[in-house]
Amino acid sequence: MTGLALYIHWPFCKSKCPYCDFNSHVRAGIDEARWRDALLRELDRGAAETQGRELVSIFFGGGTPSLMAPPTVAALLERAAARWSLAPDIEITLEANPNSVEAARFRDLAAAGVNRLSLGVQALDDTALKFLGRGHDRDEALAAIDLARAHFARFSFDLIYARPGHTPAAWQAELREALRRAGDHLSVYQLTIEQGTAFHTAFARGDFVLPDEEIQGALYEMTQNMLGDAGLPAYEISNHARAGQESRHNLAYWRYRDYLGIGPGAHGRLTLGGVKYANANHRAPETWLAAVERDGHGAATRTALSRDERRDEMAMMGLRLTSGIARADMRAETGGDIEDAFDRARLDALIGGGFLELDAAGLRATPAGRQRLNAVLDRLLN
Ligand code: SF4
């Protein structure tokens, strides 16, 4: 049996950032003991279904899981250790916001077993942080990075570029500073305007404009070049790491391995009895909580995936990686080679156009292909 990754979703935030379309919610107060018990219950249920698997990573995402009391994190980790065997080098990541940071909390989270921190820094510029609706300023972000370095063997932080008025000169200075502060991993996202967010309304109203395509392209190129030169090349569209320091948990998604998701809105891909299932939990926190308390799990849907669906999902995830889709992985998932899995004429057209590469190792998107991956996938799969 292959390893298993575990995702735990904590859906609460202090405030809602205007660009965010994650399943995150602001509540005046919550009964944390009730939430802990529900997460433990759903974890037990998932463990019962996946007995005999080794847990290779755990990821606390959100929302803002650094708002969880450290004893809640400790209880979940203790239960996971009691229910599964843990890989000796298990990666346990928790997402944190600089405004929910205190030294004691970081120390306690590390003592509970968290060994990797992912910090939502987003910018090192106070004007940009204000625009992004972040609850922290630059000094708090820098202090949080120092604390992460002090308490965790591995840490990463996120940055968002292509903000209104963002110039290559400003981004270069910000990236230089980020590199001086970085550990072995950085996540760098281009600002996008998502449906249903406050930015979507404000952008439609004309409250702000984004840099044009030429500047966006220059900022992207600069990111690739500067981080690559500093030994942190991209291993995924938005993620950069030194060799061996990639997020193992996120690699499980991109390599289309099995993962169990617990908490509101969490998704999973689980192979049970030789069939791969897509699981999706109820998104609304209170609906999920009531379902778990009633049924022992918060699943809204569980769907067996067909061979074509698995191939499509593998392409959507694997082509995000610089290394692409390994031949052995496609064979294990679909029983066939990459050449048989996809329509040959479409594959050849995308290879001929310089967007995909196919060789003995597997199929990958070229840098040009990764820059317009949605269009490439559309051509390949639809
Ligand atoms: S803190 Fe993170 S999850 Fe919460 S609203 Fe902001 S971006 Fe979304």
Side-chain angles (χ1 to χ4, degrees), residues 14 63 71 91-92 100 103 114 161 180 199-200 204 209 212 240 252 256 295 308 315 372:
K14 278 192 172 164
E91 175 188 275
I92 303 175
S100 59
V114 174
Y161 71 96
R180 278 198 300 275
F199 268 2
H200 195 264
V209 289
D212 63 28
H240 298 250
Y256 204 45
D295 306 325
D308 283 358
R372 44 186 75 73

Side-chain angles (χ1 to χ4, degrees), residues 318-319 321-331 337-339 342 347 351 356-365:
L319 292 178
L321 289 171
T322 312
S323 56
I325 303 165
R327 282 186 181 275
D329 286 347
M330 179 60 81
R331 224 174 282 125
D337 276 324
I338 288 169
E339 286 84 348
F342 300 105
L347 197 55
I351 292 167
L356 291 178
E357 287 171 350
L358 182 64
D359 59 22
L363 178 70
R364 75 196 70 81

Side-chain angles (χ1 to χ4, degrees), residues 246-328:
E246 300 85 0
S247 160
R248 279 176 238 150
H249 184 84
N250 288 335
L251 279 177
Y253 300 150
W254 295 318
R255 290 184 176 151
Y256 204 45
R257 303 280 153 80
D258 273 17
Y259 57 96
L260 170 70
I262 67 169
H267 285 243
R269 291 290 179 279
L270 283 183
T271 308
L272 304 169
V275 178
K276 193 158 191 157
Y277 292 93
N279 297 339
N281 277 356
H282 292 290
R283 250 179 96 81
E286 290 74 18
T287 309
W288 174 86
L289 188 62
V292 176
E293 290 179 341
R294 190 181 58 238
D295 306 325
H297 67 87
T301 57
R302 168 171 283 192
T303 317
L305 295 167
S306 69
R307 179 187 167 281
D308 283 358
E309 285 169 330
R310 285 181 278 124
R311 175 208 58 195
D312 289 1
E313 288 196 335
M314 185 172 245
M316 288 188 268
M317 302 309 282
L319 292 178
R320 300 181 65 87
L321 289 171
T322 312
S323 56
I325 303 165
R327 282 186 181 275

Side-chain angles (χ1 to χ4, degrees), residues 12-25 62-64 95 97 99 122 133-134:
F12 304 114
C13 291
K14 278 192 172 164
S15 58
K16 184 81 183 175
C17 303
Y19 58 87
C20 174
D21 70 340
F22 298 155
N23 189 26
S24 60
H25 307 263
T64 307
E95 289 181 333
N97 273 335
N99 57 334
Q122 315 308 3
R134 302 294 294 171

